[in-house]
Amino acid sequence: MAPRRRRGADQDAAGQDDAIDADALANAPKNRPPNTAFRQQRMRAWQCVLTPKLIVTIFSILAAIYLGFGAYLTYLAHTVRDFSFDYTDCQKQAPQDGGPDNFKAVPDGLISAHFSVPEGSTLDPNKAFWRVEKRPFEFGNESLNIDVCLVRFNIPEDLKPTVSFFYYLENFYQNHRRYVNSFNAKQLLGDAVDGATINGSTCDPLAHDPLGSGKIVFPCGIVANSMFNDTFSSPVWLNVAVSPNNARRADDNSNRTYTMKDTGITWPGNKDLYGQTKYNNDQIVPPPNWRDRYPNGYNDKNPAPNLQTWEAFQNWMMLAASPNFYKLYQRNDVDVMDRGTYQVDIALNFDTTLYNGRKSFVITTLSTMGSRNIWPGIIFLIVGGICLLLDIYFILSFFLWKPRKLGDPSYLSWNQPSAPGANTQTHAPGGL
């Protein structure tokens, strides 16, 4: 059933419309914006007209900038000298018996070196030797025999400071979501965080002692537990007297250690995130993977580490965005690393074969842009090359192949012969 219209409804609606129109007219001058250039959008403006000359000029400038900067970055990358050695399979392939001189040649493919080798030099950076021996390491009151990989390699030219020593891991995903969050910031800062707070944090599953003692793991979480714990000695220069530059360096047949320090290897601001723990040694236990270093747990003779001064730990806690990454281990900012044969001893504690990964150490110099990285220069050269090709194309197109007058109306679509009515003649009114 349709609704019935109330008598007089049409007259009421018309009256309401008249009242609204009257109100609008009365309020119009008040709501209207002032008649100024800013409020009425009549301000003067500059609009770039991309003329052929302007386009060619822009691409010429861009090509010069990118090609010049790319060439400079490429030059800096090639001034860096570095030596990289993959020692993942040292325990499996290097000889373990036969005495201190039983070194074996390293298989091909494990060394990457970038040097300017002098003509006639006998120091081949792509040849190295290794062997494995067991050595006792003291941890508190305990002694533990650990496999040590001894690597002998050649440095064919002097390396000027700063000389940096990195370790390099492949296929280790520090960017996993649960891994990234697995730590407690207050505990790292030195606070004695209680068990309830640790339980409610992201340290799980390494918040409390896995052996069931109920003690808190310090530092808790997966990140600290998985810390890279291979240790490297400073490089030792072997047989100084018989090395190529013995006449001005030494007069005996002794070895010389090129001392590198493990301080100054992290950003200064990182130390503000760490502190000496306020836990007592009997309140906490080390992470499971730290058991070899703390076989009897934390005690007075082997106390919990001071995270504020342990820069290697701070570097590890700076999580990498990619599965292949470098981390600085030690450096020398003062002394030249003389060319010669060197030996580095590596205590093998970190097993990368468990996750199909690999590990290497890298000795490198630094340029203004840091360590060796050719890709920024290559990217700039590619972009500069593209700009140069476009520049040449526009020069040929605008000035040689089909030059045309800028703003010629004959090129408009409706002035083309194929446009409807383009050839129709228009006659004046009254014409014959």
Side-chain angles (χ1 to χ4, degrees):
M1 177 176 174
R4 297 176 60 185
R5 181 178 297 275
R6 182 174 59 84
R7 183 179 298 177
D10 293 339
Q11 292 83 350
D12 294 343
Q16 292 176 1
D17 292 340
D18 293 340
I20 293 173
D21 291 340
D23 293 339
L25 291 174
N27 295 328
K30 182 177 65 177
N31 295 331
R32 181 180 302 161
N35 189 21
T36 63
F38 179 76
R39 299 295 294 273
Q40 296 297 336
Q41 301 184 12
R42 296 196 302 269
M43 296 185 66
R44 292 181 178 271
W46 178 81
Q47 183 176 2
C48 178
V49 178
L50 296 177
T51 63
K53 290 183 179 180
L54 180 60
I55 292 176
V56 169
T57 302
I58 290 175
F59 276 97
S60 298
I61 294 174
L62 290 177
I65 292 175
Y66 280 106
L67 290 176
F69 198 53
Y72 178 66
L73 292 179
T74 304
Y75 165 76
L76 288 180
H78 283 85
T79 61
V80 174
R81 303 292 182 251
D82 62 359
F83 175 85
S84 175
F85 184 86
D86 185 336
Y87 66 97
T88 308
D89 300 320
C90 185
Q91 283 178 296
K92 297 179 180 178
Q93 298 184 8
Q96 301 192 19
D97 299 317
D101 296 325
N102 186 28
F103 280 83
K104 178 182 178 182
V106 173
D108 295 335
L110 301 182
I111 299 174
S112 174
H114 300 93
F115 293 100
S116 178
V117 182
E119 186 177 354
S121 174
T122 59
L123 299 173
D124 187 353
N126 294 307
K127 291 184 179 180
F129 300 86
W130 60 4
R131 72 180 185 89
V132 176
E133 69 177 21
K134 286 189 176 294
R135 291 182 184 174
F137 285 80
E138 300 292 334
F139 299 104
N141 293 330
E142 298 291 332
S143 179
L144 185 67
N145 288 327
I146 297 177
D147 285 339
V148 177
C149 180
L150 284 65
V151 180
R152 289 183 177 178
F153 56 93
N154 299 315
I155 301 294
E157 61 177 313
D158 294 349
L159 304 184
K160 297 180 180 180
T162 298
V163 179
S164 300
F165 191 110
F166 292 85
Y167 62 86
Y168 175 68
L169 295 182
E170 295 183 12
N171 202 35
F172 191 100
Y173 288 82
Q174 279 196 315
N175 58 357
H176 189 278
R177 179 179 60 85
R178 291 190 63 189
Y179 185 94
V180 167
N181 294 324
S182 188
F183 67 94
N184 186 278
K186 290 186 177 180
Q187 191 192 56
L188 297 178
L189 196 57
D191 295 346
V193 183
D194 59 87
T197 303
I198 291 293
N199 285 335
S201 69
T202 55
C203 284
D204 188 70
L206 290 178
H208 288 82
D209 186 4
L211 300 179
S213 67
K215 296 181 179 180
I216 297 172
V217 174
F218 174 81
C220 68
I222 303 175
V223 183
N225 180 65
S226 61
M227 179 183 174
F228 181 81
N229 58 353
D230 281 0
T231 60
F232 304 89
S233 68
S234 292
V236 177
W237 185 12
L238 303 177
N239 299 326
V240 174
V242 297
S243 63
N245 46 2
N246 63 318
R248 57 187 177 90
R249 308 284 186 191
D251 56 1
D252 59 353
N253 196 32
S254 62
N255 301 331
R256 182 180 301 171
T257 300
Y258 180 73
T259 304
M260 308 187 83
K261 60 179 182 178
D262 59 0
T263 57
I265 60 174
T266 188
W267 294 102
N270 283 351
K271 296 182 180 180
D272 298 336
L273 304 176
Y274 303 89
Q276 176 66 51
T277 183
K278 298 176 183 176
Y279 287 118
N280 295 325
N281 289 327
D282 58 358
Q283 294 178 304
I284 51 178
V285 295
N289 286 353
W290 295 19
R291 297 290 185 184
D292 289 343
R293 180 172 179 176
Y294 299 96
N296 297 319
Y298 297 131
N299 51 57
D300 294 338
K301 293 186 177 181
N302 201 10
N306 183 359
L307 303 183
Q308 191 173 26
T309 59
W310 192 8
E311 297 187 19
F313 178 82
Q314 297 171 18
N315 273 351
W316 180 257
M317 297 298 291
M318 292 181 61
L319 305 182
S322 63
N324 304 332
F325 55 87
Y326 298 87
K327 289 189 182 291
L328 184 58
Y329 185 85
Q330 53 190 357
R331 62 190 295 174
N332 187 309
D333 300 321
V334 179
D335 303 320
V336 174
M337 188 173 185
D338 298 297
R339 61 186 183 270
T341 300
Y342 286 83
Q343 177 174 310
V344 170
D345 300 345
I346 311 166
L348 303 174
N349 300 304
F350 194 86
D351 189 2
T352 57
T353 61
L354 298 176
Y355 59 91
N356 295 323
R358 301 196 70 83
K359 56 185 178 179
S360 309
F361 72 83
V362 180
I363 298 176
T364 179
T365 60
L366 300 178
S367 69
T368 306
M369 300 299 294
S371 57
R372 183 183 180 88
N373 187 358
I374 64 173
W375 290 109
I378 291 177
I379 292 173
F380 273 91
L381 291 175
I382 291 174
V383 175
I386 293 173
C387 291
L388 182 60
L389 291 177
L390 291 175
D391 189 30
I392 296 174
Y393 170 78
F394 288 136
I395 291 175
L396 297 176
S397 177
F398 291 149
F399 303 108
L400 297 178
W401 290 341
K402 294 181 179 180
R404 71 181 189 182
K405 183 181 178 180
L406 181 65
D408 189 349
S410 63
Y411 286 91
L412 297 174
S413 61
W414 55 82
N415 288 334
Q416 301 301 312
S418 60
N423 298 325
T424 303
Q425 296 182 355
T426 303
H427 299 282
L432 294 177

